[in-house]
Amino acid sequence: QNQIQPQPPHHQHTMEWPLSNDQTGKPRTTPTNQAIWKAALQPARSERPEAVQAWETQLESTIMKNDWRRGGYVPLVEEFVRLQATVSPTVALAMCRAGLEYAR
């Protein structure tokens, strides 16, 4: 007896990694993660443009050294948190929202 199974509800708050590594078949998370961090940083430009520029320069250096997966992202995350702690609560919240919105 065939029963139609209900479809799971569609959640607007889900994420899918868009690309897979051609060699491993696993999701390519690094470019997506980097783009999310960049998007989340943008609201801070209004209050801390020099710090945002320094973070972006550090990101580009990490990418050029191909150091992201070997822990190169750790100082970037630490600096992101420090930067977020120095902006107004409104901008800090906007940073969170920008990252989440980009991820969706």
Side-chain angles (χ1 to χ4, degrees):
Q1 172 179 19
N2 287 340
Q3 292 185 350
I4 297 175
Q5 296 295 319
Q7 294 293 315
H10 174 71
H11 297 284
Q12 72 179 29
H13 301 293
T14 60
M15 292 189 305
E16 292 182 29
W17 297 112
L19 300 173
S20 294
N21 181 307
D22 292 336
Q23 295 174 353
T24 66
K26 293 182 179 180
R28 290 179 49 203
T29 60
T30 299
T32 305
N33 282 319
Q34 292 169 351
I36 292 169
W37 285 104
K38 281 181 171 180
L41 190 66
Q42 295 315 303
R45 236 179 240 295
S46 64
E47 291 182 9
R48 300 284 318 278
E50 300 87 11
V52 170
Q53 183 60 51
W55 191 93
E56 290 174 332
T57 300
Q58 187 178 356
L59 172 64
E60 293 307 318
S61 173
T62 300
I63 292 170
M64 293 297 290
K65 293 179 196 171
N66 201 22
D67 198 31
W68 184 268
R69 286 211 170 264
R70 291 179 291 210
Y73 64 88
V74 173
L76 286 162
V77 173
E78 290 172 347
E79 188 57 33
F80 182 94
V81 172
R82 281 188 206 95
L83 192 152
Q84 194 170 35
T86 65
V87 297
S88 68
T90 301
V91 170
L93 183 58
M95 292 170 73
C96 295
R97 288 183 173 146
L100 285 171
E101 185 60 34
Y102 188 92
R104 291 187 183 139

